[in-house]
Amino acid sequence: MLTVIKGTAAAAMFFLELGVLISLAYWGFTREAHLLVRIMVGLGTPAVFATLWGLFMAGGKAPHQLHGLARAAFEVVWFGAGAAALAASGLVTAGVVFAVVYVVDAVLRLLTDQV
């Protein structure tokens, strides 16, 4: 049973990570701005976030791997940005659901020592 919970939490984490990038892209492309600005923000914001994830969080391979409180703070900001991007795009319910799924997944990862 524990193996199933760990696997589910890990899979949810992966899809949440992708969800942040998709949420940021959606937010960027739905701005009230010139088309060129929307394209730049819609592609640039996820690119910046993906770079930050690769530098600080990427599963043991990150050159500046974060641990402890710094890792927790980064996660909260990262996934909070995904939820906020959805809400700012007018998808408030989706933003709330995204945040709740992240919190549940974080608790499961804490309980199963996957942090």
Side-chain angles (χ1 to χ4, degrees):
M1 180 65 155
L2 184 60
T3 304
V4 172
I5 293 171
K6 283 184 174 185
T8 301
M13 181 69 164
F14 173 73
F15 288 114
L16 285 166
E17 292 167 15
L18 291 178
V20 168
L21 299 176
I22 292 166
S23 299
L24 292 169
Y26 182 78
W27 169 80
F29 286 122
T30 59
R31 298 298 82 220
E32 294 281 334
H34 187 272
L35 178 62
L36 184 58
V37 172
R38 286 186 298 187
I39 291 170
M40 290 174 56
V41 173
L43 296 176
T45 306
V48 168
F49 268 67
T51 301
L52 291 172
W53 187 268
L55 286 172
F56 299 110
M57 298 290 283
K61 298 178 183 179
H64 307 287
Q65 189 74 41
L66 297 178
H67 302 283
L69 189 57
R71 182 180 182 88
F74 187 95
E75 269 194 27
V76 168
V77 170
W78 170 273
F79 293 105
L86 287 170
S89 299
L91 303 173
V92 177
T93 303
V96 170
V97 169
F98 188 89
V100 169
V101 171
Y102 166 68
V103 169
V104 169
D105 184 64
V107 168
L108 285 175
R109 288 184 297 117
L110 280 172
L111 294 174
T112 59
D113 294 323
Q114 287 185 300
V115 183

